[in-house]
Amino acid sequence: ENDIGSLLLNPASIAEISDFKLSVTNQKLLDSFDYMTINAGKNIDLAINKKKKKKHQSIGIGFSLASISLKDIPETEEKDGFPYQTSSYSAGFNVAQAVVGTSLYNTPIMEKLNIGAAAKIISYDIHSNSSSTFSLDAGVIGSNKIDNNIVNKIQIGIALHNIISPS
């Protein structure tokens, strides 16, 4: 079962979420750097009618919120060849994303292939300037069982971030 906390890293990690999952991370470093993430996801079972047969496909859906900020950045001016702090400012960015993914079995490449996609809204702020944009991510996690005394499964993942992102 995949880790819900990995949604921002690889959207394919939503594919194997079984029940509702929630992950909250908050870290403050040196009273200046704040890092926070919230990830949540749930699995939905879809019934698909295909050639008079009902096929069930499990779809994972989720969302993530992330915020990273750095405060008290010194703003300086030069006077008599020396820098002097005149004030301070903050900078950071926020991310909100929606994620969807599913698992494919017995593919030509791997025994199991988790695929996922994410749509993100990203906002940046530095001092009194701000900007926002959107982006699309995609990810894959493949796994094969191995008949070995040391390793019983190998997993390989890849994620492509900001596939579509206007400048």
Side-chain angles (χ1 to χ4, degrees):
E1 194 168 315
N2 288 329
D3 178 16
I4 192 75
S6 302
L7 287 185
L8 287 163
L9 297 174
N10 191 333
S13 62
I14 192 70
E16 290 187 318
I17 300 300
S18 55
D19 298 319
F20 176 76
K21 304 280 184 196
L22 176 67
S23 168
V24 178
T25 302
N26 189 10
Q27 181 72 44
K28 189 172 208 163
L29 300 171
L30 303 174
D31 203 34
S32 294
F33 181 77
D34 292 325
Y35 171 81
M36 184 274 306
T37 63
I38 299 172
N39 298 287
K42 177 145 180 50
N43 185 283
I44 305 171
D45 190 37
L46 295 179
I48 302 167
N49 291 323
K50 195 173 187 181
K51 297 181 183 179
K52 296 184 182 181
K53 283 178 122 181
K54 218 175 220 186
K55 180 184 175 192
H56 291 273
Q57 184 68 42
S58 180
I59 306 286
I61 58 169
F63 76 91
S64 299
L65 298 173
S67 176
I68 295 176
S69 64
L70 183 60
K71 63 182 183 177
D72 299 328
I73 302 168
E75 186 170 0
T76 61
E77 289 182 5
E78 185 180 326
K79 187 174 181 182
D80 299 326
F82 295 99
Y84 291 94
Q85 183 173 347
T86 57
S87 64
S88 62
Y89 64 95
S90 298
F93 67 91
N94 298 302
V95 177
Q97 79 171 2
V99 184
V100 64
T102 191
S103 296
L104 306 173
Y105 297 92
N106 299 317
T107 69
I109 303 169
M110 299 287 231
E111 291 174 2
K112 182 169 60 173
L113 203 58
N114 295 339
I115 57 173
K120 297 189 298 191
I121 297 173
I122 307 164
S123 64
Y124 308 89
D125 62 270
I126 299 174
H127 200 9
S128 60
N129 300 311
S130 63
S131 179
S132 60
T133 188
F134 69 91
S135 176
L136 297 177
D137 297 349
V140 176
I141 301 171
S143 63
N144 275 336
K145 291 181 182 172
I146 297 174
D147 190 18
N148 188 306
N149 292 337
I150 299 170
V151 177
N152 62 358
K153 180 168 69 169
I154 185 167
Q155 287 188 302
I156 299 171
I158 188 167
L160 301 173
H161 291 269
N162 305 326
I163 297 169
I164 297 174
S165 183
S167 54

